[in-house]
Amino acid sequence: MSKLIIKKYQYNNRKNEPADKKWFGRVAALETVDLDGICEHIVKHGTIYTADIVYGVVKNFVTCIQELLLESKKVKLNGLGTFYLSCKSIGVDEADDFEPRKHIKNLMVRFTGDRSKKSVYKKSALMDAAHLTNLDTLGFMPLADDGSSSSGGNNSDETASDEP
């Protein structure tokens, strides 16, 4: 049975007294699976295609997503979610002074999980499917903290969010 590993952390923010010094949890990543790893995983699910065919299709899929995003399109994968681009820009006083090449400073890929009733990625479905385990009970540490998890923010009911 697979286990979703949770790492405890202490929230330190005196500006948010209800949550300050309280302990919360965040998902601990044990490793990062790259394109080769995803392809190997797909092949293990009994596909009729060989690893090289799966790799070629997935690699083209990744390239196509980038192309579509750069055409100002969102890419929705039914049942998974939607990829889209956002940007950071420098403000100008007059609309006519705004030049995208000059004032756009960063483009970021964003992802919103599918929240439809049938999605296996909606909150309730994920919680029902997850087998949560405390990292402390496993006796080992994650391989590396790749920065993909953060302490996130807190809301009024004293729960912390762990947003990517």
Side-chain angles (χ1 to χ4, degrees):
M1 172 186 355
S2 50
K3 296 179 182 177
L4 183 61
I5 307 200
I6 305 298
K7 179 178 172 181
K8 293 182 284 187
Y9 74 97
Q10 190 173 29
Y11 184 78
N12 294 305
N13 184 345
R14 286 183 245 179
K15 293 178 182 176
N16 188 346
E17 281 203 31
D20 190 36
K21 303 297 182 202
K22 290 196 176 179
W23 289 87
F24 295 91
R26 69 170 52 120
V27 174
L30 298 178
E31 66 180 295
T32 299
V33 179
D34 65 5
L35 188 63
D36 290 333
I38 291 169
C39 293
E40 289 171 19
H41 185 85
I42 291 170
V43 169
K44 288 178 186 174
H45 279 272
T47 179
I48 61 170
Y49 301 105
T50 59
D52 59 330
I53 299 292
V54 171
Y55 181 82
V57 170
V58 173
K59 188 165 173 65
N60 284 340
F61 178 72
V62 170
T63 302
C64 289
I65 289 175
Q66 179 193 27
E67 290 173 5
L68 292 166
L69 292 173
L70 292 173
E71 292 173 2
S72 290
K73 296 176 182 176
K74 291 182 177 183
V75 178
K76 180 178 181 180
L77 305 177
N78 296 344
L80 180 62
T82 303
F83 292 91
Y84 61 96
L85 289 180
S86 68
C87 66
K88 288 189 179 183
S89 63
I90 296 174
V92 295
D93 294 327
E94 301 293 328
D96 290 342
D97 294 338
F98 187 83
E99 299 174 33
R101 234 334 149 198
K102 183 177 178 182
H103 295 106
I104 298 294
K105 294 299 173 189
N106 197 5
L107 290 173
M108 291 95 38
V109 175
R110 302 288 189 191
F111 178 80
T112 302
D114 185 343
R115 295 186 185 115
S116 67
K117 289 181 181 180
K118 294 182 180 180
S119 174
V120 297
Y121 294 102
K122 66 182 179 184
K123 291 179 190 177
S124 60
L126 285 173
M127 284 301 295
D128 291 344
H131 300 283
L132 303 173
T133 302
N134 193 333
L135 178 67
D136 295 346
T137 64
L138 297 177
F140 64 92
M141 296 299 291
L143 298 177
D145 186 358
D146 63 1
S148 63
S149 64
S150 66
S151 60
N154 286 49
N155 61 24
S156 60
D157 68 355
E158 297 185 21
T159 59
S161 118
D162 189 22
E163 299 177 7

